[in-house]
Amino acid sequence: MPSIGRDDVARLADLARIQLTEEETARFAGEFDSIMDAVASVSEVATEDVPATSHPIAMTNVLREDVVETTLTQEQALAGAPEAQDGRFAVPQILGEE
Amino acid sequence: MSASTTTSDIIRRSAAAQAAALEAGEVSSEELTRAHFGRIAAVDGDLNAFLHLNQDEALTTARDVDARRAAGEELPALAGVPIAVKDVVVTEGQPTTAGSKILQGWIPPYDATLVTALRKAGLPILGKTNMDEFAMGSSTESSAYGPTRNPWDRDRIPGGSGGGSAAAVGSYEAPLAIGTDTGGSIRQPGAVTGTVGVKPTYGSVSRYGLIAMASSLDQAGPVTRTVEDSALLHELIAGHDPHDSTSLPDPVGDFTAAARSKDVKGLRIGVIEELESEGFAPEVRARFTESLDQLERAGAEIVRVACPNFTYALGAYYLIMPSEASSNLAKFDGMRFGLRVIPEDHPTAENVMKATRGAGFGDEVKRRILLGTYALSAGYYDAYYGSAQKVRTLVQRDFTAAFSTVDVLASPTSPTVAFRLGEKVDDPMAMYMNDIATIPANLAGTPGISVPSGLAEDGLPAGIQFLAPARADERLYRVGGALEALLEDSWGGPLLAKAPELTNGAQR
């Protein structure tokens, strides 16, 4: 199994959109190796003939009648927003990013 | 109320007995609810079981129930009995934080389906209980609002992630509580606080309105002081919910009758070989063996059962859970609700997300999101996530094979009694090992109950876990209720009666 170094943790943090301090990056890198060593045993028994289970109790095609139901009002939906404007969520600049 | 009985006596009774006192006019719901708030004021300063109290609304509910009872209305079984709700369950108009800074101050605009059921049945909601952040942990130490302490010894953990719910019930702050169990977060806190905790069959209690950690594993359930109380609460919150596409359409069983039957004659109990020996503290195992002896004398048959793939369950869980969590927690991005942190340099949406998540999440949440991101990333997906999903199949097969020969399975709930605060906080794998006995049920969707099995090391409680096939939750109540009665006969009363008396600061 490849070792998980600081650069790997920094890349994962970037993918997960989490800003880490240098101290956190170093600490997680040390911990991840031991955690992944401990959990890697799953591949010992996960042979090709074993099907994967994604859900404990299989259910298919769970549908409801296509009828209009009560939803949150615009005011309720915006009530917990950090910033709202003109009945919409106000978000930071999203255009012009690299 | 008679002169010889006070509300402080009544709050130490089971929820069923409190309901009976309400029905008999011995006490009003308002008096009972006020008494619980009084108890919280007296002991929660040190325990930190509650993150938010809901006094005005709870008393309004209580008075409404009293008025309806006075008018002769027939009320649901637990009407007027107060309850505490884990802070991962959304409550309209009341703060919900999931133990995280990223949701500090958030007021949900709707109720979880199970909360709707509690309100409809007239249970005053005392408040929201402390928990590991986003239910990630086994000790309630990862809460952004400080740890909860164990009522038996305030230098120890109350279990996790539902340590607040278990501590509230164990310290007589609440007769009932709601927990959620993703890898054992109802059962393990139950074991280390001397309370009863039930993880229902996956899908039998709606997850609508639960802030998701790992959607294929999370399940809400009861935290109580007796098996009968869990049965009553389970019946109240279970049932089909069209808002949850994983909600089972099955009718709700008569769990209360099963809990009251106290009959285990002919019941075949399988002792899981892989969860009985290595890593389990000797006194925890001793209480487990004594419990099985009691059941055998009462007519149950005890057999040993092999579940060889349970050895791999912990590894599979710690791949699947963070993978699902990394996806579920993507919504906490500072855009539509919760915390927003704006960095000074280049405050673009992406940088705001990074700064918000960096400041809003604690260590354990960051650790698991990054692990999940790794396990799902290109090149590793098959080796980790894909393999873990196959182990899930193997664990299910172990359960199926075992339940073809026995009615229920048994193991100690947790390998040890409550450990000391801070003892495992710097060692994630040591912390994760606490869930070794509870995790298989989450992977397979099967139900489980933890019942107090007695006092082990340092006079602290231990628990015994019973597991049943999916949709056969009644069996848990049958065996759990019987064992509880047998043990209480031998102890001369409930285990919680042996806990030290609490007052703020007195025990430290």
Side-chain angles (χ1 to χ4, degrees):
Chain A
M1 194 194 69
S3 178
I4 306 172
R6 287 185 188 207
D7 290 348
D8 300 306
V9 171
R11 183 172 162 275
L12 291 170
D14 195 50
L15 286 171
R17 305 284 188 268
I18 298 177
Q19 186 175 300
L20 295 183
T21 63
E22 285 295 317
E23 184 270 333
E24 285 174 323
T25 306
R27 183 155 41 85
F28 287 145
E31 290 168 353
F32 283 4
D33 267 344
S34 63
I35 295 171
M36 294 313 289
D37 278 348
V39 302
S41 63
V42 296
S43 58
E44 292 172 15
V45 289
T47 51
E48 280 187 14
D49 58 319
V50 179
T53 296
S54 62
H55 212 262
I57 296 176
M59 301 176 86
T60 53
N61 293 342
V62 179
L63 303 171
R64 68 166 174 84
E65 292 300 309
D66 186 17
V67 294
V68 176
E69 292 187 357
T70 308
T71 62
L72 296 180
T73 63
Q74 186 183 49
E75 191 178 49
Q76 286 173 318
L78 293 169
E83 193 182 349
Q85 186 179 329
D86 302 330
R88 297 176 174 87
F89 292 101
V91 300
Q93 174 193 337
I94 57 171
L95 298 177
E97 294 181 42
E98 287 180 17
Chain B
M1 197 183 316
S2 73
S4 59
T5 307
T6 66
T7 48
S8 63
D9 296 325
I10 293 176
I11 67 171
R12 288 171 184 269
R13 298 179 187 171
S14 69
Q18 292 187 24
L22 289 167
E23 183 67 26
E26 191 181 346
V27 67
S28 71
S29 177
E30 182 174 358
E31 288 172 320
L32 193 58
T33 304
R34 285 190 188 281
H36 282 100
F37 281 117
R39 176 71 177 170
I40 292 167
V43 303
D44 205 57
D46 277 348
L47 288 182
N48 198 27
F50 281 88
L51 293 179
H52 171 72
L53 295 177
N54 187 26
Q55 188 149 348
D56 291 347
E57 194 179 289
L59 289 171
T60 300
T61 301
R63 284 190 286 268
D64 176 57
V65 168
D66 288 337
R68 288 161 63 193
R69 197 183 303 276
E73 190 177 327
E74 195 170 324
L75 297 168
L78 291 171
V81 179
I83 190 165
V85 176
K86 188 177 179 181
D87 203 35
V88 76
V89 183
V90 304
T91 43
E92 183 179 357
Q94 299 296 330
T96 300
T97 67
S100 181
K101 270 196 294 190
I102 212 163
L103 276 175
Q104 189 164 18
W106 182 58
I107 310 283
Y110 70 106
D111 274 332
T113 297
L114 75 84
V115 172
T116 303
L118 298 177
R119 294 193 200 277
K120 192 175 168 195
L123 278 73
I125 297 172
L126 297 166
K128 306 298 287 294
T129 52
N130 202 3
M131 54 182 285
D132 280 302
E133 185 178 5
F134 286 106
M136 297 182 187
S138 305
S139 68
T140 314
E141 291 169 289
S142 80
S143 168
Y145 306 100
T148 297
R149 295 170 182 273
N150 192 316
W152 289 77
D153 177 348
R154 281 182 273 191
D155 290 329
R156 306 229 182 202
I157 61 104
S161 63
S165 288
V169 170
S171 63
Y172 305 104
E173 292 178 313
L176 301 164
I178 295 292
T180 60
D181 190 314
T182 304
S185 289
I186 293 175
R187 290 163 287 158
Q188 181 254 10
V192 301
T193 60
T195 57
V196 176
V198 176
K199 183 196 94 69
T201 294
Y202 180 83
S204 65
V205 175
S206 172
R207 287 198 337 277
Y208 180 74
L210 270 57
I211 298 172
M213 171 169 55
S215 308
S216 76
L217 304 163
D218 298 341
Q219 183 58 60
V223 181
T224 64
R225 293 198 284 267
T226 70
V227 173
E228 182 190 18
D229 285 357
S230 275
L232 285 162
L233 182 54
H234 189 165
E235 284 179 26
L236 176 55
I237 59 176
H240 180 65
D241 178 15
H243 287 115
D244 176 356
S245 66
T246 60
S247 173
L248 296 177
D250 311 18
V252 179
D254 192 346
F255 306 136
T256 308
R260 289 172 179 164
S261 75
K262 311 278 195 287
D263 177 16
V264 290
K265 286 188 185 66
L267 191 79
R268 286 174 65 85
I269 300 173
V271 176
I272 305 166
E273 288 179 357
E274 289 76 10
L275 297 178
E276 198 215 5
S277 51
E278 193 182 346
F280 287 80
E283 288 192 45
V284 171
R285 286 164 59 191
R287 299 296 89 78
F288 174 65
T289 305
E290 289 160 11
S291 299
L292 294 175
D293 289 346
Q294 291 266 17
L295 288 165
E296 193 167 29
R297 280 198 290 276
E301 188 181 347
I302 312 295
V303 297
R304 294 180 68 78
V305 173
C307 293
N309 293 296
F310 280 22
T311 311
Y312 302 97
L314 189 78
Y317 176 83
Y318 278 97
L319 290 165
I320 294 168
M321 174 271 298
S323 297
E324 293 189 14
S326 70
S327 172
N328 275 322
L329 270 62
K331 67 172 83 73
F332 300 100
D333 57 8
M335 296 295 125
R336 289 154 297 161
F337 50 85
L339 181 72
R340 175 181 288 180
V341 176
I342 301 174
E344 287 182 10
D345 286 349
H346 308 296
T348 60
E350 185 175 333
N351 288 336
V352 168
M353 286 179 194
K354 286 179 179 172
T356 299
R357 288 160 67 81
F361 289 144
D363 269 3
E364 188 59 30
V365 175
K366 289 175 185 171
R367 189 180 287 123
R368 295 195 194 191
I369 290 175
L370 296 176
L371 281 170
T373 305
Y374 181 70
L376 292 175
S377 60
Y380 300 113
Y381 180 94
D382 286 341
Y384 294 135
Y385 185 74
S387 294
Q389 298 286 48
K390 290 183 174 187
V391 169
R392 196 169 197 170
T393 306
L394 296 171
V395 169
Q396 283 192 332
R397 287 178 181 173
D398 278 0
F399 272 119
T400 302
F403 288 131
S404 70
T405 60
V406 299
D407 299 300
V408 295
L409 291 166
S411 77
T413 310
S414 178
T416 66
V417 296
F419 50 89
R420 291 182 191 285
L421 288 158
E423 191 177 321
K424 298 186 180 181
V425 86
D426 294 324
D427 187 350
M429 275 317 298
M431 187 75 88
Y432 298 169
M433 288 297 288
N434 276 282
D435 304 330
I436 194 162
T438 48
I439 277 172
N442 298 84
L443 290 174
T446 54
I449 189 172
S450 179
V451 179
S453 60
L455 300 180
E457 289 94 341
D458 301 320
L460 293 166
I464 179 170
Q465 167 184 246
F466 298 102
L467 304 171
R471 297 178 158 98
D473 303 49
E474 287 99 333
R475 294 184 199 176
L476 303 179
Y477 291 108
R478 182 179 163 200
V479 66
L483 176 64
E484 179 183 61
L486 293 165
L487 290 176
E488 287 191 7
D489 280 350
S490 66
W491 300 332
L495 190 70
L496 276 177
K498 299 175 186 296
E501 185 52 45
L502 289 173
T503 53
N504 273 340
Q507 198 199 36
R508 304 287 297 282

